[in-house]
mmCIF file with all atom_site columns, all heavy atoms in Angstrom:
data_model
loop_
_atom_site.group_PDB
_atom_site.id
_atom_site.type_symbol
_atom_site.label_atom_id
_atom_site.label_alt_id
_atom_site.label_comp_id
_atom_site.label_asym_id
_atom_site.label_entity_id
_atom_site.label_seq_id
_atom_site.pdbx_PDB_ins_code
_atom_site.Cartn_x
_atom_site.Cartn_y
_atom_site.Cartn_z
_atom_site.occupancy
_atom_site.B_iso_or_equiv
_atom_site.pdbx_formal_charge
_atom_site.auth_seq_id
_atom_site.auth_comp_id
_atom_site.auth_asym_id
_atom_site.auth_atom_id
_atom_site.pdbx_PDB_model_num
ATOM 1   N N   . ASN A 1 32  ? 1.436   12.429 -8.692  1.00 0.00 ? 1224 ASN A N   1
ATOM 2   C CA  . ASN A 1 32  ? 1.394   13.888 -8.627  1.00 0.00 ? 1224 ASN A CA  1
ATOM 3   C C   . ASN A 1 32  ? 1.663   14.252 -7.163  1.00 0.00 ? 1224 ASN A C   1
ATOM 4   O O   . ASN A 1 32  ? 1.180   13.582 -6.248  1.00 0.00 ? 1224 ASN A O   1
ATOM 5   C CB  . ASN A 1 32  ? 0.023   14.413 -9.040  1.00 0.00 ? 1224 ASN A CB  1
ATOM 6   C CG  . ASN A 1 32  ? -0.316  14.034 -10.473 1.00 0.00 ? 1224 ASN A CG  1
ATOM 7   O OD1 . ASN A 1 32  ? 0.522   14.085 -11.366 1.00 0.00 ? 1224 ASN A OD1 1
ATOM 8   N ND2 . ASN A 1 32  ? -1.548  13.617 -10.685 1.00 0.00 ? 1224 ASN A ND2 1
ATOM 9   N N   . TYR A 1 34  ? 2.020   17.497 -4.139  1.00 0.00 ? 1226 TYR A N   1
ATOM 10  C CA  . TYR A 1 34  ? 1.474   18.806 -3.808  1.00 0.00 ? 1226 TYR A CA  1
ATOM 11  C C   . TYR A 1 34  ? 2.048   19.307 -2.477  1.00 0.00 ? 1226 TYR A C   1
ATOM 12  O O   . TYR A 1 34  ? 2.276   18.518 -1.558  1.00 0.00 ? 1226 TYR A O   1
ATOM 13  C CB  . TYR A 1 34  ? -0.054  18.737 -3.649  1.00 0.00 ? 1226 TYR A CB  1
ATOM 14  C CG  . TYR A 1 34  ? -0.792  18.128 -4.811  1.00 0.00 ? 1226 TYR A CG  1
ATOM 15  C CD1 . TYR A 1 34  ? -0.890  16.753 -4.943  1.00 0.00 ? 1226 TYR A CD1 1
ATOM 16  C CD2 . TYR A 1 34  ? -1.398  18.928 -5.768  1.00 0.00 ? 1226 TYR A CD2 1
ATOM 17  C CE1 . TYR A 1 34  ? -1.562  16.176 -6.012  1.00 0.00 ? 1226 TYR A CE1 1
ATOM 18  C CE2 . TYR A 1 34  ? -2.086  18.370 -6.837  1.00 0.00 ? 1226 TYR A CE2 1
ATOM 19  C CZ  . TYR A 1 34  ? -2.160  16.995 -6.955  1.00 0.00 ? 1226 TYR A CZ  1
ATOM 20  O OH  . TYR A 1 34  ? -2.836  16.436 -8.010  1.00 0.00 ? 1226 TYR A OH  1
ATOM 21  N N   . GLN A 1 38  ? -1.590  25.831 5.476   1.00 0.00 ? 1230 GLN A N   1
ATOM 22  C CA  . GLN A 1 38  ? -2.847  26.035 6.175   1.00 0.00 ? 1230 GLN A CA  1
ATOM 23  C C   . GLN A 1 38  ? -2.571  26.938 7.376   1.00 0.00 ? 1230 GLN A C   1
ATOM 24  O O   . GLN A 1 38  ? -1.858  26.547 8.299   1.00 0.00 ? 1230 GLN A O   1
ATOM 25  C CB  . GLN A 1 38  ? -3.427  24.694 6.625   1.00 0.00 ? 1230 GLN A CB  1
ATOM 26  C CG  . GLN A 1 38  ? -4.800  24.787 7.250   1.00 0.00 ? 1230 GLN A CG  1
ATOM 27  C CD  . GLN A 1 38  ? -5.356  23.417 7.585   1.00 0.00 ? 1230 GLN A CD  1
ATOM 28  O OE1 . GLN A 1 38  ? -4.627  22.492 7.923   1.00 0.00 ? 1230 GLN A OE1 1
ATOM 29  N NE2 . GLN A 1 38  ? -6.672  23.264 7.490   1.00 0.00 ? 1230 GLN A NE2 1
ATOM 30  N N   . GLY A 1 41  ? -6.827  27.674 11.846  1.00 0.00 ? 1233 GLY A N   1
ATOM 31  C CA  . GLY A 1 41  ? -8.266  27.837 11.737  1.00 0.00 ? 1233 GLY A CA  1
ATOM 32  C C   . GLY A 1 41  ? -8.768  28.202 10.357  1.00 0.00 ? 1233 GLY A C   1
ATOM 33  O O   . GLY A 1 41  ? -9.874  28.720 10.216  1.00 0.00 ? 1233 GLY A O   1
ATOM 34  N N   . ARG A 1 42  ? -7.964  27.917 9.351   1.00 0.00 ? 1234 ARG A N   1
ATOM 35  C CA  . ARG A 1 42  ? -8.348  28.322 7.995   1.00 0.00 ? 1234 ARG A CA  1
ATOM 36  C C   . ARG A 1 42  ? -8.248  27.139 7.032   1.00 0.00 ? 1234 ARG A C   1
ATOM 37  O O   . ARG A 1 42  ? -7.911  26.039 7.407   1.00 0.00 ? 1234 ARG A O   1
ATOM 38  C CB  . ARG A 1 42  ? -7.461  29.463 7.531   1.00 0.00 ? 1234 ARG A CB  1
ATOM 39  C CG  . ARG A 1 42  ? -7.501  30.599 8.523   1.00 0.00 ? 1234 ARG A CG  1
ATOM 40  C CD  . ARG A 1 42  ? -7.388  31.933 7.891   1.00 0.00 ? 1234 ARG A CD  1
ATOM 41  N NE  . ARG A 1 42  ? -7.517  32.965 8.906   1.00 0.00 ? 1234 ARG A NE  1
ATOM 42  C CZ  . ARG A 1 42  ? -7.806  34.219 8.637   1.00 0.00 ? 1234 ARG A CZ  1
ATOM 43  N NH1 . ARG A 1 42  ? -7.991  34.592 7.382   1.00 0.00 ? 1234 ARG A NH1 1
ATOM 44  N NH2 . ARG A 1 42  ? -7.897  35.100 9.591   1.00 0.00 ? 1234 ARG A NH2 1
ATOM 45  N N   . LEU A 1 44  ? -7.190  25.305 3.105   1.00 0.00 ? 1236 LEU A N   1
ATOM 46  C CA  . LEU A 1 44  ? -5.957  24.859 2.469   1.00 0.00 ? 1236 LEU A CA  1
ATOM 47  C C   . LEU A 1 44  ? -5.598  25.757 1.293   1.00 0.00 ? 1236 LEU A C   1
ATOM 48  O O   . LEU A 1 44  ? -6.430  26.019 0.434   1.00 0.00 ? 1236 LEU A O   1
ATOM 49  C CB  . LEU A 1 44  ? -6.130  23.426 1.967   1.00 0.00 ? 1236 LEU A CB  1
ATOM 50  C CG  . LEU A 1 44  ? -6.473  22.379 3.014   1.00 0.00 ? 1236 LEU A CG  1
ATOM 51  C CD1 . LEU A 1 44  ? -6.854  21.072 2.357   1.00 0.00 ? 1236 LEU A CD1 1
ATOM 52  C CD2 . LEU A 1 44  ? -5.298  22.170 3.947   1.00 0.00 ? 1236 LEU A CD2 1
ATOM 53  N N   . TYR A 1 49  ? 2.551   22.252 -7.134  1.00 0.00 ? 1241 TYR A N   1
ATOM 54  C CA  . TYR A 1 49  ? 2.276   20.870 -7.475  1.00 0.00 ? 1241 TYR A CA  1
ATOM 55  C C   . TYR A 1 49  ? 3.239   20.424 -8.563  1.00 0.00 ? 1241 TYR A C   1
ATOM 56  O O   . TYR A 1 49  ? 3.807   21.254 -9.287  1.00 0.00 ? 1241 TYR A O   1
ATOM 57  C CB  . TYR A 1 49  ? 0.815   20.633 -7.869  1.00 0.00 ? 1241 TYR A CB  1
ATOM 58  C CG  . TYR A 1 49  ? 0.383   21.206 -9.194  1.00 0.00 ? 1241 TYR A CG  1
ATOM 59  C CD1 . TYR A 1 49  ? 0.434   20.448 -10.362 1.00 0.00 ? 1241 TYR A CD1 1
ATOM 60  C CD2 . TYR A 1 49  ? -0.125  22.497 -9.261  1.00 0.00 ? 1241 TYR A CD2 1
ATOM 61  C CE1 . TYR A 1 49  ? 0.004   20.964 -11.566 1.00 0.00 ? 1241 TYR A CE1 1
ATOM 62  C CE2 . TYR A 1 49  ? -0.557  23.021 -10.469 1.00 0.00 ? 1241 TYR A CE2 1
ATOM 63  C CZ  . TYR A 1 49  ? -0.493  22.251 -11.607 1.00 0.00 ? 1241 TYR A CZ  1
ATOM 64  O OH  . TYR A 1 49  ? -0.909  22.768 -12.801 1.00 0.00 ? 1241 TYR A OH  1
ATOM 65  N N   . GLN A 1 97  ? -7.384  8.568  -12.447 1.00 0.00 ? 1289 GLN A N   1
ATOM 66  C CA  . GLN A 1 97  ? -8.305  9.422  -13.197 1.00 0.00 ? 1289 GLN A CA  1
ATOM 67  C C   . GLN A 1 97  ? -8.816  10.601 -12.382 1.00 0.00 ? 1289 GLN A C   1
ATOM 68  O O   . GLN A 1 97  ? -8.905  11.718 -12.858 1.00 0.00 ? 1289 GLN A O   1
ATOM 69  C CB  . GLN A 1 97  ? -9.487  8.598  -13.697 1.00 0.00 ? 1289 GLN A CB  1
ATOM 70  C CG  . GLN A 1 97  ? -10.500 9.408  -14.498 1.00 0.00 ? 1289 GLN A CG  1
ATOM 71  C CD  . GLN A 1 97  ? -11.713 8.589  -14.891 1.00 0.00 ? 1289 GLN A CD  1
ATOM 72  O OE1 . GLN A 1 97  ? -11.829 7.425  -14.522 1.00 0.00 ? 1289 GLN A OE1 1
ATOM 73  N NE2 . GLN A 1 97  ? -12.619 9.177  -15.645 1.00 0.00 ? 1289 GLN A NE2 1
ATOM 74  N N   . TYR A 1 98  ? -9.181  10.357 -11.138 1.00 0.00 ? 1290 TYR A N   1
ATOM 75  C CA  . TYR A 1 98  ? -9.804  11.416 -10.359 1.00 0.00 ? 1290 TYR A CA  1
ATOM 76  C C   . TYR A 1 98  ? -8.827  12.147 -9.434  1.00 0.00 ? 1290 TYR A C   1
ATOM 77  O O   . TYR A 1 98  ? -9.214  13.073 -8.742  1.00 0.00 ? 1290 TYR A O   1
ATOM 78  C CB  . TYR A 1 98  ? -10.985 10.863 -9.567  1.00 0.00 ? 1290 TYR A CB  1
ATOM 79  C CG  . TYR A 1 98  ? -12.143 10.504 -10.469 1.00 0.00 ? 1290 TYR A CG  1
ATOM 80  C CD1 . TYR A 1 98  ? -12.349 9.185  -10.857 1.00 0.00 ? 1290 TYR A CD1 1
ATOM 81  C CD2 . TYR A 1 98  ? -12.999 11.472 -10.959 1.00 0.00 ? 1290 TYR A CD2 1
ATOM 82  C CE1 . TYR A 1 98  ? -13.395 8.856  -11.704 1.00 0.00 ? 1290 TYR A CE1 1
ATOM 83  C CE2 . TYR A 1 98  ? -14.057 11.151 -11.797 1.00 0.00 ? 1290 TYR A CE2 1
ATOM 84  C CZ  . TYR A 1 98  ? -14.248 9.841  -12.169 1.00 0.00 ? 1290 TYR A CZ  1
ATOM 85  O OH  . TYR A 1 98  ? -15.279 9.518  -13.007 1.00 0.00 ? 1290 TYR A OH  1
ATOM 86  N N   . ASN A 1 99  ? -7.563  11.735 -9.453  1.00 0.00 ? 1291 ASN A N   1
ATOM 87  C CA  . ASN A 1 99  ? -6.527  12.450 -8.696  1.00 0.00 ? 1291 ASN A CA  1
ATOM 88  C C   . ASN A 1 99  ? -6.899  12.690 -7.242  1.00 0.00 ? 1291 ASN A C   1
ATOM 89  O O   . ASN A 1 99  ? -6.665  13.776 -6.700  1.00 0.00 ? 1291 ASN A O   1
ATOM 90  C CB  . ASN A 1 99  ? -6.212  13.807 -9.353  1.00 0.00 ? 1291 ASN A CB  1
ATOM 91  C CG  . ASN A 1 99  ? -5.159  13.664 -10.421 1.00 0.00 ? 1291 ASN A CG  1
ATOM 92  O OD1 . ASN A 1 99  ? -4.129  13.025 -10.216 1.00 0.00 ? 1291 ASN A OD1 1
ATOM 93  N ND2 . ASN A 1 99  ? -5.406  14.251 -11.576 1.00 0.00 ? 1291 ASN A ND2 1
ATOM 94  N N   . ILE A 1 100 ? -7.474  11.669 -6.594  1.00 0.00 ? 1292 ILE A N   1
ATOM 95  C CA  . ILE A 1 100 ? -7.772  11.805 -5.167  1.00 0.00 ? 1292 ILE A CA  1
ATOM 96  C C   . ILE A 1 100 ? -6.471  12.098 -4.432  1.00 0.00 ? 1292 ILE A C   1
ATOM 97  O O   . ILE A 1 100 ? -5.474  11.393 -4.611  1.00 0.00 ? 1292 ILE A O   1
ATOM 98  C CB  . ILE A 1 100 ? -8.400  10.520 -4.611  1.00 0.00 ? 1292 ILE A CB  1
ATOM 99  C CG1 . ILE A 1 100 ? -9.719  10.230 -5.322  1.00 0.00 ? 1292 ILE A CG1 1
ATOM 100 C CG2 . ILE A 1 100 ? -8.618  10.636 -3.102  1.00 0.00 ? 1292 ILE A CG2 1
ATOM 101 C CD1 . ILE A 1 100 ? -10.316 8.882  -4.943  1.00 0.00 ? 1292 ILE A CD1 1
ATOM 102 N N   . GLN A 1 101 ? -6.482  13.116 -3.609  1.00 0.00 ? 1293 GLN A N   1
ATOM 103 C CA  . GLN A 1 101 ? -5.263  13.502 -2.904  1.00 0.00 ? 1293 GLN A CA  1
ATOM 104 C C   . GLN A 1 101 ? -5.232  12.884 -1.515  1.00 0.00 ? 1293 GLN A C   1
ATOM 105 O O   . GLN A 1 101 ? -6.222  12.932 -0.781  1.00 0.00 ? 1293 GLN A O   1
ATOM 106 C CB  . GLN A 1 101 ? -5.172  15.028 -2.816  1.00 0.00 ? 1293 GLN A CB  1
ATOM 107 C CG  . GLN A 1 101 ? -4.935  15.653 -4.186  1.00 0.00 ? 1293 GLN A CG  1
ATOM 108 C CD  . GLN A 1 101 ? -4.805  17.145 -4.149  1.00 0.00 ? 1293 GLN A CD  1
ATOM 109 O OE1 . GLN A 1 101 ? -4.428  17.727 -3.137  1.00 0.00 ? 1293 GLN A OE1 1
ATOM 110 N NE2 . GLN A 1 101 ? -5.099  17.790 -5.268  1.00 0.00 ? 1293 GLN A NE2 1
ATOM 111 N N   . GLU B 2 2   ? -9.050  28.460 -3.794  1.00 0.00 ? 1024 GLU B N   1
ATOM 112 C CA  . GLU B 2 2   ? -9.404  28.062 -2.445  1.00 0.00 ? 1024 GLU B CA  1
ATOM 113 C C   . GLU B 2 2   ? -9.815  29.268 -1.627  1.00 0.00 ? 1024 GLU B C   1
ATOM 114 O O   . GLU B 2 2   ? -9.288  30.354 -1.762  1.00 0.00 ? 1024 GLU B O   1
ATOM 115 C CB  . GLU B 2 2   ? -8.214  27.360 -1.764  1.00 0.00 ? 1024 GLU B CB  1
ATOM 116 C CG  . GLU B 2 2   ? -7.754  26.108 -2.456  1.00 0.00 ? 1024 GLU B CG  1
ATOM 117 C CD  . GLU B 2 2   ? -6.768  26.412 -3.579  1.00 0.00 ? 1024 GLU B CD  1
ATOM 118 O OE1 . GLU B 2 2   ? -6.553  27.597 -3.865  1.00 0.00 ? 1024 GLU B OE1 1
ATOM 119 O OE2 . GLU B 2 2   ? -6.254  25.448 -4.152  1.00 0.00 ? 1024 GLU B OE2 1
ATOM 120 N N   . VAL B 2 4   ? -9.184  30.570 1.321   1.00 0.00 ? 1026 VAL B N   1
ATOM 121 C CA  . VAL B 2 4   ? -8.284  30.422 2.449   1.00 0.00 ? 1026 VAL B CA  1
ATOM 122 C C   . VAL B 2 4   ? -8.340  31.603 3.378   1.00 0.00 ? 1026 VAL B C   1
ATOM 123 O O   . VAL B 2 4   ? -7.737  31.600 4.434   1.00 0.00 ? 1026 VAL B O   1
ATOM 124 C CB  . VAL B 2 4   ? -6.844  30.232 1.957   1.00 0.00 ? 1026 VAL B CB  1
ATOM 125 C CG1 . VAL B 2 4   ? -6.738  28.941 1.187   1.00 0.00 ? 1026 VAL B CG1 1
ATOM 126 C CG2 . VAL B 2 4   ? -6.401  31.399 1.108   1.00 0.00 ? 1026 VAL B CG2 1
ATOM 127 N N   . GLY B 2 5   ? -9.077  32.681 3.035   1.00 0.00 ? 1027 GLY B N   1
ATOM 128 C CA  . GLY B 2 5   ? -9.081  33.860 3.874   1.00 0.00 ? 1027 GLY B CA  1
ATOM 129 C C   . GLY B 2 5   ? -10.206 33.880 4.881   1.00 0.00 ? 1027 GLY B C   1
ATOM 130 O O   . GLY B 2 5   ? -10.384 34.861 5.578   1.00 0.00 ? 1027 GLY B O   1
ATOM 131 N N   . HIS B 2 7   ? -12.461 32.579 8.245   1.00 0.00 ? 1029 HIS B N   1
ATOM 132 C CA  . HIS B 2 7   ? -12.440 31.774 9.447   1.00 0.00 ? 1029 HIS B CA  1
ATOM 133 C C   . HIS B 2 7   ? -13.480 30.677 9.311   1.00 0.00 ? 1029 HIS B C   1
ATOM 134 O O   . HIS B 2 7   ? -14.521 30.850 8.685   1.00 0.00 ? 1029 HIS B O   1
ATOM 135 C CB  . HIS B 2 7   ? -12.723 32.638 10.667  1.00 0.00 ? 1029 HIS B CB  1
ATOM 136 C CG  . HIS B 2 7   ? -11.545 33.483 11.039  1.00 0.00 ? 1029 HIS B CG  1
ATOM 137 N ND1 . HIS B 2 7   ? -10.441 32.964 11.670  1.00 0.00 ? 1029 HIS B ND1 1
ATOM 138 C CD2 . HIS B 2 7   ? -11.293 34.788 10.867  1.00 0.00 ? 1029 HIS B CD2 1
ATOM 139 C CE1 . HIS B 2 7   ? -9.561  33.931 11.869  1.00 0.00 ? 1029 HIS B CE1 1
ATOM 140 N NE2 . HIS B 2 7   ? -10.045 35.042 11.396  1.00 0.00 ? 1029 HIS B NE2 1
ATOM 141 N N   . LEU B 2 8   ? -13.201 29.543 9.961   1.00 0.00 ? 1030 LEU B N   1
ATOM 142 C CA  . LEU B 2 8   ? -14.050 28.384 9.812   1.00 0.00 ? 1030 LEU B CA  1
ATOM 143 C C   . LEU B 2 8   ? -15.394 28.571 10.488  1.00 0.00 ? 1030 LEU B C   1
ATOM 144 O O   . LEU B 2 8   ? -15.456 28.948 11.652  1.00 0.00 ? 1030 LEU B O   1
ATOM 145 C CB  . LEU B 2 8   ? -13.349 27.171 10.414  1.00 0.00 ? 1030 LEU B CB  1
ATOM 146 C CG  . LEU B 2 8   ? -12.055 26.713 9.740   1.00 0.00 ? 1030 LEU B CG  1
ATOM 147 C CD1 . LEU B 2 8   ? -11.437 25.590 10.528  1.00 0.00 ? 1030 LEU B CD1 1
ATOM 148 C CD2 . LEU B 2 8   ? -12.327 26.286 8.314   1.00 0.00 ? 1030 LEU B CD2 1
ATOM 149 N N   . TYR B 2 32  ? -16.703 15.622 -9.849  1.00 0.00 ? 1054 TYR B N   1
ATOM 150 C CA  . TYR B 2 32  ? -16.218 14.673 -8.863  1.00 0.00 ? 1054 TYR B CA  1
ATOM 151 C C   . TYR B 2 32  ? -15.973 15.428 -7.574  1.00 0.00 ? 1054 TYR B C   1
ATOM 152 O O   . TYR B 2 32  ? -15.374 16.506 -7.583  1.00 0.00 ? 1054 TYR B O   1
ATOM 153 C CB  . TYR B 2 32  ? -14.931 14.015 -9.367  1.00 0.00 ? 1054 TYR B CB  1
ATOM 154 C CG  . TYR B 2 32  ? -14.402 12.957 -8.442  1.00 0.00 ? 1054 TYR B CG  1
ATOM 155 C CD1 . TYR B 2 32  ? -15.131 11.811 -8.168  1.00 0.00 ? 1054 TYR B CD1 1
ATOM 156 C CD2 . TYR B 2 32  ? -13.165 13.109 -7.825  1.00 0.00 ? 1054 TYR B CD2 1
ATOM 157 C CE1 . TYR B 2 32  ? -14.656 10.846 -7.315  1.00 0.00 ? 1054 TYR B CE1 1
ATOM 158 C CE2 . TYR B 2 32  ? -12.678 12.140 -6.968  1.00 0.00 ? 1054 TYR B CE2 1
ATOM 159 C CZ  . TYR B 2 32  ? -13.432 11.016 -6.720  1.00 0.00 ? 1054 TYR B CZ  1
ATOM 160 O OH  . TYR B 2 32  ? -12.955 10.058 -5.873  1.00 0.00 ? 1054 TYR B OH  1
ATOM 161 N N   . TYR B 2 36  ? -13.294 15.451 3.114   1.00 0.00 ? 1058 TYR B N   1
ATOM 162 C CA  . TYR B 2 36  ? -12.143 15.111 3.939   1.00 0.00 ? 1058 TYR B CA  1
ATOM 163 C C   . TYR B 2 36  ? -12.444 15.468 5.391   1.00 0.00 ? 1058 TYR B C   1
ATOM 164 O O   . TYR B 2 36  ? -13.164 16.431 5.675   1.00 0.00 ? 1058 TYR B O   1
ATOM 165 C CB  . TYR B 2 36  ? -10.902 15.919 3.519   1.00 0.00 ? 1058 TYR B CB  1
ATOM 166 C CG  . TYR B 2 36  ? -10.236 15.474 2.247   1.00 0.00 ? 1058 TYR B CG  1
ATOM 167 C CD1 . TYR B 2 36  ? -10.599 16.022 1.024   1.00 0.00 ? 1058 TYR B CD1 1
ATOM 168 C CD2 . TYR B 2 36  ? -9.215  14.523 2.269   1.00 0.00 ? 1058 TYR B CD2 1
ATOM 169 C CE1 . TYR B 2 36  ? -9.952  15.640 -0.147  1.00 0.00 ? 1058 TYR B CE1 1
ATOM 170 C CE2 . TYR B 2 36  ? -8.579  14.132 1.101   1.00 0.00 ? 1058 TYR B CE2 1
ATOM 171 C CZ  . TYR B 2 36  ? -8.957  14.699 -0.104  1.00 0.00 ? 1058 TYR B CZ  1
ATOM 172 O OH  . TYR B 2 36  ? -8.325  14.314 -1.260  1.00 0.00 ? 1058 TYR B OH  1
ATOM 173 N N   . GLN B 2 38  ? -10.353 16.458 8.930   1.00 0.00 ? 1060 GLN B N   1
ATOM 174 C CA  . GLN B 2 38  ? -9.042  16.825 9.461   1.00 0.00 ? 1060 GLN B CA  1
ATOM 175 C C   . GLN B 2 38  ? -9.125  16.996 10.971  1.00 0.00 ? 1060 GLN B C   1
ATOM 176 O O   . GLN B 2 38  ? -9.754  17.927 11.469  1.00 0.00 ? 1060 GLN B O   1
ATOM 177 C CB  . GLN B 2 38  ? -8.509  18.109 8.822   1.00 0.00 ? 1060 GLN B CB  1
ATOM 178 C CG  . GLN B 2 38  ? -7.088  18.444 9.263   1.00 0.00 ? 1060 GLN B CG  1
ATOM 179 C CD  . GLN B 2 38  ? -6.535  19.697 8.629   1.00 0.00 ? 1060 GLN B CD  1
ATOM 180 O OE1 . GLN B 2 38  ? -7.285  20.565 8.188   1.00 0.00 ? 1060 GLN B OE1 1
ATOM 181 N NE2 . GLN B 2 38  ? -5.210  19.810 8.562   1.00 0.00 ? 1060 GLN B NE2 1
ATOM 182 N N   . ARG B 2 51  ? -19.482 10.881 -7.561  1.00 0.00 ? 1073 ARG B N   1
ATOM 183 C CA  . ARG B 2 51  ? -19.389 11.385 -8.930  1.00 0.00 ? 1073 ARG B CA  1
ATOM 184 C C   . ARG B 2 51  ? -20.699 12.063 -9.299  1.00 0.00 ? 1073 ARG B C   1
ATOM 185 O O   . ARG B 2 51  ? -21.743 11.812 -8.710  1.00 0.00 ? 1073 ARG B O   1
ATOM 186 C CB  . ARG B 2 51  ? -19.081 10.231 -9.885  1.00 0.00 ? 1073 ARG B CB  1
ATOM 187 C CG  . ARG B 2 51  ? -17.764 9.576  -9.586  1.00 0.00 ? 1073 ARG B CG  1
ATOM 188 C CD  . ARG B 2 51  ? -17.333 8.598  -10.675 1.00 0.00 ? 1073 ARG B CD  1
ATOM 189 N NE  . ARG B 2 51  ? -16.086 7.961  -10.284 1.00 0.00 ? 1073 ARG B NE  1
ATOM 190 C CZ  . ARG B 2 51  ? -15.963 6.710  -9.866  1.00 0.00 ? 1073 ARG B CZ  1
ATOM 191 N NH1 . ARG B 2 51  ? -17.028 5.939  -9.775  1.00 0.00 ? 1073 ARG B NH1 1
ATOM 192 N NH2 . ARG B 2 51  ? -14.794 6.215  -9.528  1.00 0.00 ? 1073 ARG B NH2 1
ATOM 193 N N   . GLN B 2 98  ? -6.419  18.592 -12.884 1.00 0.00 ? 1120 GLN B N   1
ATOM 194 C CA  . GLN B 2 98  ? -5.201  18.244 -12.169 1.00 0.00 ? 1120 GLN B CA  1
ATOM 195 C C   . GLN B 2 98  ? -5.363  18.426 -10.670 1.00 0.00 ? 1120 GLN B C   1
ATOM 196 O O   . GLN B 2 98  ? -4.867  17.644 -9.876  1.00 0.00 ? 1120 GLN B O   1
ATOM 197 C CB  . GLN B 2 98  ? -4.053  19.130 -12.683 1.00 0.00 ? 1120 GLN B CB  1
ATOM 198 C CG  . GLN B 2 98  ? -2.706  18.758 -12.100 1.00 0.00 ? 1120 GLN B CG  1
ATOM 199 C CD  . GLN B 2 98  ? -2.295  17.371 -12.516 1.00 0.00 ? 1120 GLN B CD  1
ATOM 200 O OE1 . GLN B 2 98  ? -2.315  17.032 -13.692 1.00 0.00 ? 1120 GLN B OE1 1
ATOM 201 N NE2 . GLN B 2 98  ? -1.951  16.524 -11.561 1.00 0.00 ? 1120 GLN B NE2 1
ATOM 202 N N   . ASN B 2 99  ? -6.039  19.483 -10.303 1.00 0.00 ? 1121 ASN B N   1
ATOM 203 C CA  . ASN B 2 99  ? -6.087  19.855 -8.893  1.00 0.00 ? 1121 ASN B CA  1
ATOM 204 C C   . ASN B 2 99  ? -7.511  19.986 -8.402  1.00 0.00 ? 1121 ASN B C   1
ATOM 205 O O   . ASN B 2 99  ? -8.409  20.413 -9.119  1.00 0.00 ? 1121 ASN B O   1
ATOM 206 C CB  . ASN B 2 99  ? -5.384  21.197 -8.690  1.00 0.00 ? 1121 ASN B CB  1
ATOM 207 C CG  . ASN B 2 99  ? -3.941  21.144 -9.149  1.00 0.00 ? 1121 ASN B CG  1
ATOM 208 O OD1 . ASN B 2 99  ? -3.278  20.125 -9.040  1.00 0.00 ? 1121 ASN B OD1 1
ATOM 209 N ND2 . ASN B 2 99  ? -3.461  22.249 -9.688  1.00 0.00 ? 1121 ASN B ND2 1
ATOM 210 N N   . PHE B 2 100 ? -7.689  19.662 -7.124  1.00 0.00 ? 1122 PHE B N   1
ATOM 211 C CA  . PHE B 2 100 ? -8.958  19.877 -6.468  1.00 0.00 ? 1122 PHE B CA  1
ATOM 212 C C   . PHE B 2 100 ? -9.033  21.307 -5.955  1.00 0.00 ? 1122 PHE B C   1
ATOM 213 O O   . PHE B 2 100 ? -8.032  21.912 -5.602  1.00 0.00 ? 1122 PHE B O   1
ATOM 214 C CB  . PHE B 2 100 ? -9.118  18.916 -5.294  1.00 0.00 ? 1122 PHE B CB  1
ATOM 215 C CG  . PHE B 2 100 ? -9.606  17.564 -5.699  1.00 0.00 ? 1122 PHE B CG  1
ATOM 216 C CD1 . PHE B 2 100 ? -8.718  16.596 -6.118  1.00 0.00 ? 1122 PHE B CD1 1
ATOM 217 C CD2 . PHE B 2 100 ? -10.958 17.265 -5.671  1.00 0.00 ? 1122 PHE B CD2 1
ATOM 218 C CE1 . PHE B 2 100 ? -9.159  15.350 -6.512  1.00 0.00 ? 1122 PHE B CE1 1
ATOM 219 C CE2 . PHE B 2 100 ? -11.413 16.010 -6.053  1.00 0.00 ? 1122 PHE B CE2 1
ATOM 220 C CZ  . PHE B 2 100 ? -10.516 15.056 -6.475  1.00 0.00 ? 1122 PHE B CZ  1
#
Side-chain angles (χ1 to χ4, degrees):
Chain A
N1224 299 319
Y1226 307 82
Q1230 185 176 33
R1234 305 214 177 198
L1236 301 170
Y1241 71 93
Q1289 180 184 3
Y1290 290 99
N1291 273 313
I1292 299 173
Q1293 292 181 26
Chain B
E1024 299 85 354
V1026 296
H1029 285 284
L1030 295 175
Y1054 183 63
Y1058 285 91
Q1060 185 179 23
R1073 298 190 183 106
Q1120 186 64 51
N1121 301 326
F1122 277 86

